[in-house]
Amino acid sequence: EAIVYGNFKDDKGTINAPIGRHPVKRKQMAVTSTASRNAVTHYEVLTRFGDFTHLRLRLETGRTHQIRVHMAYIGHPVLGDDVYCNKKNPYKFLVGQCLHAKKIGFIHPITKKYMEFESDLPDYFKEFLKEEGFSGYI
C-alpha cells in the first residue's frame, strides 16, 4: 500500500514501463529504454484525500525501487520519498515513505511451498490516514 501525491482519474490501472539505472543520477533507477528491464505495477485506488491517494499496489515484476519509480514516472510520487519526489513533505510526523508491504507471498526455495505474510501499517502511515479523517484502517 502507498499514499501518493495527486488524484487518479481511474480506480484501477497498470503501469508497464521498463526500469534501468538513471542516466545521470547513477544511484537512482528510472523509466528508460537504455539497459532496462521489463517492469509492471498494478494499482487500485483505496481512498482519495484531495491532494493524496491511498493505493493498493501489486507487482508483476520485482525491480529495484519499482513502485517508487513508477509512481514518480506517472506524476504521483510516494509521500515521504525524498529520492524520487521533489515535493516538500507537509507532514512533520512522517518518519519515512508512505509505502508498506502489507502482504507478501513467495514460494519457499527449499520446501517449494507457498508462504504468505501480512504486516500492519506502520504507525506514521496510520497517523496520516487518521489526520486525513479516514479511520478504516485504525
Side-chain angles (χ1 to χ4, degrees):
E1 291 186 23
I3 304 287
V4 299
Y5 283 89
N7 221 316
F8 286 69
K9 65 178 179 178
D10 298 321
D11 289 337
K12 292 182 179 185
T14 298
I15 304 157
N16 186 346
I19 294 176
R21 285 264 167 232
H22 191 287
V24 178
K25 302 172 187 169
R26 303 301 296 158
K27 291 186 178 183
Q28 290 184 25
M29 305 305 282
V31 170
T32 177
S33 58
T34 307
S36 61
R37 296 175 71 192
N38 182 48
V40 180
T41 303
H42 304 280
Y43 66 85
E44 175 185 357
V45 172
L46 296 176
T47 313
R48 291 177 173 87
F49 301 103
D51 294 336
F52 300 96
T53 303
H54 182 192
L55 300 174
R56 176 176 295 126
L57 300 139
R58 187 177 59 80
L59 298 175
E60 197 170 302
T61 54
R63 306 295 171 233
T64 302
H65 301 179
Q66 180 173 324
I67 292 170
R68 296 163 64 197
V69 171
H70 272 170
M71 291 297 107
Y73 175 70
I74 64 169
H76 297 284
V78 174
L79 176 62
D81 184 353
D82 58 1
V83 174
Y84 295 101
C85 179
N86 61 3
K87 299 175 188 238
K88 186 167 171 48
N89 176 4
Y91 297 92
K92 303 294 182 215
F93 58 80
L94 287 179
V95 294
Q97 310 162 32
C98 281
L99 176 61
H100 179 68
K102 189 162 170 48
K103 184 190 294 187
I104 188 168
F106 57 88
I107 297 173
H108 192 281
I110 296 172
T111 67
K112 305 299 183 207
K113 291 184 181 177
Y114 179 74
M115 302 180 77
E116 191 170 273
F117 302 91
E118 288 194 49
S119 174
D120 285 338
L121 293 172
D123 289 341
Y124 67 88
F125 201 127
K126 290 180 190 175
E127 183 66 24
F128 171 86
L129 295 173
K130 182 178 168 188
E131 183 89 10
E132 292 298 317
F134 183 72
S135 59
Y137 285 90
I138 303 166

